[in-house]
Amino acid sequence: MTCFCICLLKRKDRAAVKLSNGAGRTEVSSATEDISVPKDLDLIALPQLCFPGIVCFLFEQREDSYHFLVFTDVFGNRTHGVVVQYYRSSRRWNSSKTRLYVPFAVCVISKFPYYSALRDCLSCLTAQLRTARQAHFEETIKEFSAKLSLVPLPPPGQLHVSFSLHPLQVVLPSREDQDSPVIDIDLHLPFLCFTHTSLLQVLSCLLQEQRMVFFSSDWARLTLVAECFLLYLQPLPWQQPYVPVLARGMLDFLMAPTAFLMGCHSSHFEEVATEDLILVNIDDGLVRSSCCETTDLPAIPLSAAECFIAECLQLHYDLELCHLGTGIDANALQCQRREWQRQLNAQIQNITLELVANIFRGVQDFLNHEHRVFNSENFLRTRDQADQLFYEKVHSHIFIYKESLKSLNVIVPCLLPGLKNPQKLVKVFRLPDFPPTLAYHYVQKYYSDMVISLGKAINATPPDESALLARYHYLRGLVNTVSKRRLDALEDFQSLYKTDSDIFPSQMAKSLVDSLPEAERLQERERACHGNSHEEDAVKHFQLPSKYMQLEEFVKCVQESGIVQDQGTIHRLFDALTVGHQKQVGPDLFSVFYTIWKETEAEAQEVSLPASVLEHIDPSECVFKLSSSVKTSRGMGKIAMTRRRLFLLTDGRPGYVELQHFRKIHLKLRVRGRKEAFEANLKTETELWNLMIKEMWAGRSMADQHKDPQYMQQALTNALLMDAVVGSLQSSKAIYAASKLAHFDRIRMEVLMMVPKTTAEMLKHKINPSLELAAPQAVDVLLYTPGTEAHLDKLWVSVCGGKVMVFDVSSWSLTHTCQVGNARLNCMLGVDNDQVWMGSEDSVIYIISMVAMVCNRQLTEHRAEVTGLKVAYSCSAEGTVMVWDVPTLQVSFKPTFSVHSLNGTLWCCFWDSIMEVWRNGSLKHQLTPPEPQKGSPAAFSSMLLLPEREELWTVCIDSGEVYIWHIKDATKPFHSVALQDCTRCFCMIKVKNQVWVGGVGRSSTKGKIYIVDTESRQVLKELHGHNDKVVALCSAEDRYVLSGAGKLDGKIAIWKVE
């Protein structure tokens, strides 16, 4: 849970007392008594750090005083402390019979720097101690310590934890991510103490690793200001000795020959100033050398300093309150102040991060990581002459900073004008009130209440907020762990794989598994088996309805039964079953319908065809409908229907009579092209067979015209549903009811089905990824990956909510389905012939192995949705571009929605502009969309670089034109290509010497593809292959182009490239 411990120290009452000349105080010796110093921490110096200055017995009460400590072990690990000094009345009296007040100190030690939170905690404690009796003194502190041990620390991310310590509500802020520190201080304090110039002087000294000493008359300022300066340098680490508070007996530490950062009381200034040190006076805001009144160290580079100085911050909270009334709720006021501080801290972090990025811009290009060499000579040639002395001083530290410089390139959000790091919405989870006593059953009830509260928070959190869900699950797993509910804890930690695996506590989970008793291990196995069998039973043991069903209930029931998933088909089935009745389906009718459907399925599987018949049909064909034995013009027999054809199974000695494929059958069961017509007397089944064959014929026709075999599959489903409806109704209206399901036959009668000649010539095939889904889903992304020895050519298709389907290109058949997160995917990229990277709206890049077909890695460095992927580049919506080293997955950055690389620059596409930037992040050129003739401002939707022609092609979301720009002079487009009857364009790719543009028509909502010749800049062809806008395009080795449509169509078309 928490990493807090409490130390109480007081001055010995038997200390030698000496009257001083000061008013109302006496000095005492520095002897101390150590009470409950933790044994696992090396805190020998803790007593004098809790009383770092002169400590006195007082004749009158004094205000409590707080200061802050940092302890560093031999490995460089830091521990943090918050100390409160307060005075209690002593039962002893001095010689003049005056009451004396004895100094006490309470120190809370934490692994994390929760300075503000622990100060609030100690404020609540001292309020209790003032009224506590002497006999209950230590008991009060022990109870306080025990309560803090019940508080779980929040995991990295957007969830803070708060708890109540009467009368305050205390908040523990979380770290932003795994590599970021906890920030629980006011980062603007140095801005109140120093000018911008002095701030930059201090930062310059820190970067050059000087021997630095901070001075203040207030012990608390020493640590807070020093911590702020070190946070300003993030992500660069301070790796030298760091002791922000030196007690009066520790001044000899300043004789250390190495670089360091330490802090002293101002009263020691003259004593310390004799050494060769950089002296920083916090109270006066001055920075000087111990040798002279100024520092002769080189300043921070001018260009970086100017950007820093130009920033304007609102540092005074009182100005924020001018328009507000007087608050009467202390906790509400505290919460308001805390939120203001959080926003100000975020602004300061952005400013200082930009400063550090500007200082070290371009350094990565001169680092040889393999041989640990920094090419300083070439690097210095790229710097201004005035800045070279500064870089000569810091270049020896470059390799210490190398990992931090890489992470710096990941997280810097503001290198281009107008781009800032968006603040993520922060949630605060409030813990239950502490138990009245710390008895075992009360503590367990406290944990149970916390688990219930976390469960409510999980249920109230939408699924798309996966990061927040992960934090709730993590906290609940933590609470279940300490309350010995191991199986529940493991279940919570396991859910992190689906939400945010970065915070998965692997060591804790391993310890939990190892500690499971045999009984709980068996219980876990049974739980897993029960879960699996329950999922299977949900399909195998479908429960028939017991009451009348309206349309909505009917849709759900049919989908659960497994009959069909498509909502449109289910709606037509509902209309068929309710012909002549109220619009509801009774349980008896549905039971009969369901029984007939399942019997028809079973009969189809039981049809055994002789070898003489099997040799005439394809191995994949099976008989779905078999008539009773009827008299035909070719003898007695049964008419059999497969998905492709009709044929006659003759009675007696089984024989096969071909009745041709559906595309060649006349609608009166007469075979075209034959001299003799085939006739059959189907008696009462005539009308039903007529309906079914017309539907199959219409489906076959549409499948041929649209090159989409799934029309035929849907027509077969419709025909079989007709059969089940007629069998279940058994009335004069049965055939009319079944005709409600003749979907394709109705389309054939009502709509001209002819496909334009150009489209028919180029269209090769169609795929429906939504075939097994309840409704069509938009095709978000398409990716073709060529085959290797390890795997075949594949088509990767992203549809709703992170679902990815993989098709074998040789047969266009579905081979794999996988789920990556729960958010929409924006982009995909094949990497190194064995991986596919997928950028998601949840800001994660998922990596799937092409061989194993599993997601084996997640990259979570982006702070907003990932919007584009190119070879070695990724970009996200808030403007960050990362350059990836694929083998090591190390990154550096730049910004946007989509990105292209050309001649040492990056072309980055936003909605409102296209920026050409140098690889170091500086802006070279910016384009804006052409002014629209009317309506809202234009917004770019796609761009395409044609390096060989030195051209940039762009399309806009609300325009039906292609704009062509010269790369060397991109002030405005020099040419535009009008796309006939096009109102919006969404995507664009280059194939051979053609540019294919996907959009939507003006006169209808149908999708269109325009093929434009790059030489003549003329539209060569216009293709009509989708019933919704074309939103995705990809090329398969320039042989085929694949297009994906919006959710009204949801299909993929494969086009031949000429």
Side-chain angles (χ1 to χ4, degrees):
M1 298 287 278
T2 54
C3 296
F4 304 139
C5 59
I6 311 296
C7 302
L8 168 66
L9 299 107
K10 65 180 179 180
R11 292 296 172 179
K12 287 186 177 180
D13 289 346
R14 59 181 179 274
V17 177
K18 175 174 82 171
L19 292 177
S20 73
N21 296 326
R25 73 178 188 182
T26 61
E27 290 188 2
V28 299
S29 70
S30 61
T32 60
E33 181 180 357
D34 182 3
I35 299 177
S36 68
V37 175
K39 295 180 181 179
D40 57 340
L41 293 174
D42 184 11
L43 298 177
I44 297 174
L46 182 61
Q48 55 181 322
L49 288 173
C50 288
F51 297 101
I54 298 175
V55 182
C56 309
F57 287 164
L58 301 179
F59 296 140
E60 59 186 20
Q61 185 65 275
R62 179 183 287 181
E63 284 291 325
D64 300 341
S65 174
Y66 292 81
H67 65 276
F68 310 91
L69 305 174
V70 178
F71 310 95
T72 308
D73 63 19
V74 294
F75 301 105
N77 301 313
R78 292 176 188 164
T79 308
H80 309 268
V82 180
V83 181
V84 58
Q85 293 181 13
Y86 70 101
Y87 288 80
R88 284 180 61 88
S89 174
S90 173
R91 286 177 291 184
R92 294 193 178 188
W93 303 77
N94 67 358
S95 57
S96 62
K97 302 298 182 181
T98 304
R99 180 182 292 274
L100 294 179
Y101 291 88
V102 182
F104 284 77
V106 180
C107 178
V108 184
I109 298 172
S110 169
K111 181 180 177 182
F112 298 103
Y114 287 114
Y115 296 122
S116 297
L118 295 181
R119 179 173 55 188
D120 290 345
C121 293
L122 286 175
S123 299
C124 298
L125 173 65
T126 53
Q128 298 177 42
L129 293 178
R130 288 192 190 96
T131 59
R133 295 185 177 183
Q134 186 67 32
H136 300 153
F137 185 70
E138 291 190 14
E139 189 62 33
T140 302
I141 292 181
K142 288 180 181 178
E143 183 178 342
F144 170 78
S145 175
K147 285 182 178 178
L148 287 188
S149 69
L150 299 178
V151 178
L153 295 183
Q158 65 195 87
L159 183 66
H160 297 180
V161 166
S162 75
F163 56 94
S164 179
L165 273 179
H166 185 75
L168 296 180
Q169 193 73 21
V170 182
V171 174
L172 294 179
S174 60
R175 294 177 288 163
E176 185 176 350
D177 54 50
Q178 295 277 25
D179 301 321
S180 298
V182 168
I183 298 179
D184 192 29
I185 57 176
D186 299 346
L187 287 182
H188 70 290
L189 291 179
F191 286 84
L192 298 176
C193 300
F194 301 93
T195 65
H196 280 70
T197 303
S198 298
L199 276 173
L200 291 172
Q201 279 184 290
V202 176
L203 292 173
S204 177
C205 294
L206 288 170
L207 289 171
Q208 295 173 64
E209 297 195 346
Q210 297 298 304
R211 301 167 71 228
M212 301 183 64
V213 185
F214 285 16
F215 291 92
S216 178
S217 58
D218 185 342
W219 293 103
R221 291 181 194 170
L222 291 172
T223 301
L224 294 180
V225 172
E227 287 282 290
C228 285
F229 275 111
L230 296 187
L231 288 170
Y232 293 168
L233 294 180
Q234 284 291 319
L236 305 183
W238 175 261
Q239 296 186 329
Q240 303 301 329
Y242 173 49
V243 188
V245 172
L246 284 176
R248 59 187 303 188
M250 299 178 172
L251 296 183
D252 55 347
F253 284 19
L254 299 176
M255 300 174 63
T258 62
F260 55 72
L261 174 57
M262 300 191 187
C264 293
H265 195 272
S266 296
S267 59
H268 304 304
F269 187 84
E270 298 299 330
E271 182 180 354
V272 170
T274 57
E275 297 288 333
D276 182 17
L277 303 170
I278 300 296
L279 309 177
V280 182
N281 190 323
I282 296 173
D283 299 338
D284 298 333
L286 298 177
V287 183
R288 53 164 289 192
S289 168
S290 57
C291 304
C292 58
E293 291 298 322
T294 60
T295 61
D296 58 355
L297 293 171
I300 280 177
L302 183 61
S303 58
E306 286 177 344
C307 293
F308 178 79
I309 293 173
E311 296 288 349
C312 183
L313 294 170
Q314 173 54 268
L315 301 175
H316 300 285
Y317 179 59
D318 288 344
L319 293 176
E320 297 289 322
L321 304 179
C322 294
H323 66 290
L324 300 177
T326 302
I328 58 175
D329 185 338
N331 280 318
L333 291 173
Q334 186 187 32
C335 182
Q336 183 179 339
R337 171 68 168 76
R338 191 182 292 120
E339 178 59 24
W340 175 83
Q341 188 64 58
R342 187 182 72 85
Q343 294 182 14
L344 179 59
N345 282 355
Q347 293 178 47
I348 293 173
Q349 284 179 277
N350 275 341
I351 292 169
T352 55
L353 190 61
E354 184 175 12
L355 172 67
V356 177
N358 287 333
I359 292 172
F360 292 99
R361 189 186 299 278
V363 167
Q364 281 286 94
D365 297 335
F366 298 90
L367 284 173
N368 185 320
H369 297 283
E370 182 179 356
H371 298 98
R372 293 183 58 81
V373 174
F374 175 54
N375 193 339
S376 57
E377 292 184 4
N378 290 340
F379 171 73
L380 289 174
R381 290 194 193 103
T382 65
R383 307 293 104 170
D384 292 339
Q385 186 68 32
D387 300 332
Q388 291 195 4
L389 185 58
F390 171 83
Y391 287 109
E392 287 175 0
K393 289 279 188 179
V394 301
H395 88 269
S396 60
H397 313 314
I398 292 295
F399 257 98
I400 297 175
Y401 294 154
K402 69 169 186 174
E403 293 301 323
S404 301
L405 289 171
K406 291 179 182 179
S407 63
L408 177 69
N409 285 339
V410 175
I411 62 179
V412 171
C414 45
L415 294 180
L416 292 183
L419 293 177
K420 292 295 180 183
N421 193 17
Q423 294 186 31
K424 292 185 177 180
L425 182 64
V426 170
K427 295 281 188 179
V428 178
F429 175 71
R430 183 169 180 174
L431 303 181
D433 291 337
F434 289 117
T437 69
L438 297 175
Y440 176 79
H441 64 280
Y442 280 110
V443 172
Q444 289 301 310
K445 185 178 185 309
Y446 170 76
Y447 287 144
S448 297
D449 291 344
M450 199 186 306
V451 168
I452 292 171
S453 298
L454 286 165
K456 291 179 179 177
I458 290 170
N459 293 333
T461 304
D464 56 341
E465 295 188 27
S466 57
L468 183 58
L469 279 172
R471 272 75 197 162
Y472 285 134
H473 279 293
Y474 179 96
L475 279 180
R476 193 169 69 176
L478 202 61
V479 176
N480 281 325
T481 299
V482 297
S483 56
K484 306 300 182 183
R485 291 190 279 263
R486 301 180 184 88
L487 295 180
D488 293 336
L490 287 172
E491 187 174 353
D492 276 315
F493 291 147
Q494 187 177 6
S495 69
L496 297 179
Y497 173 75
K498 299 178 181 177
T499 50
D500 191 345
S501 59
D502 278 352
I503 62 173
F504 180 78
S506 53
Q507 289 300 322
M508 189 183 300
K510 184 178 184 301
S511 299
L512 279 172
V513 173
D514 293 341
S515 65
L516 284 176
E518 187 60 31
E520 288 190 357
R521 289 177 186 270
L522 292 174
Q523 185 180 347
E524 173 63 17
R525 294 192 192 105
E526 289 175 4
R527 179 189 294 188
C529 293
H530 178 71
N532 293 337
S533 63
H534 181 74
E535 292 177 2
E536 293 173 2
D537 289 349
V539 176
K540 291 183 178 178
H541 300 288
F542 161 71
Q543 297 293 319
L544 289 170
S546 58
K547 60 181 182 179
Y548 280 84
M549 295 178 290
Q550 304 290 339
L551 176 59
E552 184 177 349
E553 296 168 315
F554 181 77
V555 169
K556 182 178 178 182
C557 181
V558 172
Q559 288 176 338
E560 289 179 353
S561 71
I563 295 174
V564 66
Q565 297 297 316
D566 178 62
Q567 290 186 3
T569 303
I570 299 174
H571 285 194
R572 291 189 289 273
L573 176 61
F574 182 80
D575 290 340
L577 291 176
T578 56
V579 165
H581 302 284
Q582 293 182 351
K583 290 299 179 181
Q584 56 183 4
V585 175
D588 293 339
L589 175 60
F590 187 84
S591 176
V592 172
F593 171 80
Y594 180 77
T595 301
I596 292 174
W597 175 268
K598 301 303 287 185
E599 287 176 350
T600 302
E601 272 188 346
E603 289 172 0
Q605 294 175 0
E606 292 173 359
V607 173
S608 179
L609 298 176
S612 59
V613 175
L614 291 175
E615 65 185 21
H616 293 281
I617 63 176
D618 295 336
S620 61
E621 278 187 271
C622 58
V623 175
F624 289 98
K625 174 67 176 172
L626 194 63
S627 72
S628 56
S629 184
V630 296
K631 183 178 180 181
T632 74
S633 58
R634 306 296 294 274
M636 293 293 293
K638 297 177 180 178
I639 298 176
M641 182 178 73
T642 72
R643 187 167 54 184
R644 297 183 179 181
R645 73 190 83 207
L646 290 174
F647 62 87
L648 179 67
L649 278 174
T650 57
D651 287 347
R653 184 177 180 181
Y656 172 87
V657 177
E658 174 70 63
L659 302 183
Q660 292 295 353
H661 290 68
F662 281 108
R663 63 169 63 96
K664 297 181 180 180
I665 290 190
H666 190 271
L667 296 186
K668 292 183 179 179
L669 290 186
R670 294 179 180 269
V671 181
R672 291 180 177 178
R674 291 182 180 271
K675 294 180 179 180
E676 297 181 6
F678 174 81
E679 297 181 355
N681 184 10
L682 290 166
K683 301 178 183 177
T684 58
E685 295 182 73
T686 302
E687 291 180 310
L688 172 61
W689 275 87
N690 186 47
L691 274 178
M692 290 193 299
I693 292 173
K694 285 196 296 182
E695 180 69 4
M696 294 292 286
W697 177 83
R700 178 76 267 173
S701 298
M702 291 189 67
D704 289 344
Q705 290 187 42
H706 294 271
K707 310 292 177 66
D708 187 353
Q710 286 156 355
Y711 278 122
M712 198 63 213
Q713 179 63 43
Q714 182 63 52
L716 175 62
T717 300
N718 293 342
L720 296 179
L721 288 173
M722 293 176 189
D723 183 38
V725 165
V726 170
S728 57
L729 292 181
Q730 292 293 328
S731 69
S732 58
K733 295 182 179 180
I735 296 299
Y736 172 72
S739 68
K740 298 284 186 181
L741 291 158
H743 177 59
F744 295 121
D745 186 47
R746 185 176 300 107
I747 292 177
R748 181 186 65 83
M749 298 293 292
E750 295 176 357
V751 182
L752 183 63
M753 294 193 303
M754 292 300 295
V755 175
K757 181 180 179 182
T758 303
T759 300
E761 290 174 349
M762 297 196 65
L763 184 62
K764 176 179 175 60
H765 193 72
K766 270 195 178 181
I767 304 172
N768 184 7
S770 304
L771 186 63
E772 299 300 325
L773 303 179
Q777 300 295 327
V779 177
D780 296 325
V781 192
L782 292 171
L783 174 69
Y784 166 80
T785 55
T788 65
E789 293 182 358
H791 57 81
L792 301 174
D793 296 20
K794 291 184 174 69
L795 172 65
W796 302 72
V797 182
S798 165
V799 290
C800 57
K803 187 170 186 177
V804 178
M805 299 180 176
V806 185
F807 292 84
D808 177 8
V809 171
S810 62
S811 61
W812 304 115
S813 58
L814 180 66
T815 58
H816 294 89
T817 300
C818 51
Q819 187 75 30
V820 287
N822 297 308
R824 177 183 182 271
L825 295 181
N826 291 325
C827 46
M828 291 193 286
L829 174 70
V831 178
D832 284 353
N833 291 324
D834 61 359
Q835 297 176 355
V836 172
W837 290 22
M838 303 180 179
S840 172
E841 281 188 346
D842 61 11
S843 77
V844 178
I845 297 176
Y846 298 92
I847 301 179
I848 292 185
S849 165
M850 291 187 190
V851 179
M853 297 305 295
V854 294
C855 179
N856 54 18
R857 188 70 186 270
Q858 297 179 18
L859 307 180
T860 57
E861 282 79 356
H862 279 288
R863 299 294 185 270
E865 63 175 284
V866 181
T867 53
L869 290 167
K870 294 291 179 183
V871 178
Y873 291 89
S874 65
C875 57
S876 51
E878 96 288 12
T880 300
V881 172
M882 300 184 187
V883 185
W884 296 86
D885 176 38
V886 175
T888 62
L889 296 182
Q890 299 296 323
V891 296
S892 59
F893 80 72
K894 320 266 176 288
T896 72
F897 279 121
S898 63
V899 60
H900 296 260
S901 176
L902 176 66
N903 297 333
T905 62
L906 295 175
W907 289 79
C908 308
C909 180
F910 301 88
W911 291 116
D912 58 353
S913 65
I914 292 176
M915 295 183 182
E916 182 184 8
V917 296
W918 297 104
R919 290 181 184 272
N920 63 8
S922 58
L923 178 64
K924 180 182 178 184
H925 191 65
Q926 183 172 353
L927 316 180
T928 56
E931 290 294 330
Q933 296 180 355
K934 59 181 179 178
S936 58
F940 288 118
S941 58
S942 183
M943 74 170 181
L944 193 63
L945 278 173
L946 305 183
E948 70 281 2
R949 301 185 58 82
E950 296 186 341
E951 291 176 356
L952 172 69
W953 289 44
T954 63
V955 291
C956 295
I957 193 70
D958 290 317
S959 171
E961 294 184 81
V962 179
Y963 298 100
I964 304 173
W965 317 63
H966 275 307
I967 290 177
K968 293 183 178 180
D969 179 19
T971 53
K972 62 180 181 179
F974 74 91
H975 188 77
S976 64
V977 180
L979 305 179
Q980 184 179 1
D981 192 36
C982 179
T983 181
R984 307 175 76 188
C985 297
F986 298 93
C987 50
M988 183 168 51
I989 63 169
K990 180 178 181 294
V991 184
K992 295 183 178 179
N993 61 341
Q994 303 169 351
V995 171
W996 291 50
V997 182
V1000 64
R1002 186 185 307 275
S1003 57
S1004 69
T1005 60
K1006 293 189 176 183
K1008 292 188 176 185
I1009 298 174
Y1010 298 87
I1011 303 177
V1012 184
D1013 182 70
T1014 57
E1015 295 284 344
S1016 64
R1017 304 188 188 97
Q1018 298 293 318
V1019 177
L1020 300 177
K1021 293 182 180 180
E1022 181 180 321
L1023 307 178
H1024 306 253
H1026 295 285
N1027 291 324
D1028 198 359
K1029 58 192 175 190
V1030 177
V1031 294
L1033 290 169
C1034 81
S1035 169
E1037 297 180 337
D1038 285 353
R1039 291 182 296 139
Y1040 303 109
V1041 168
L1042 299 99
S1043 59
K1047 65 180 181 180
L1048 297 180
D1049 180 274
K1051 294 184 179 180
I1052 300 166
I1054 298 102
W1055 307 89
K1056 293 178 285 188
V1057 176
E1058 295 181 350

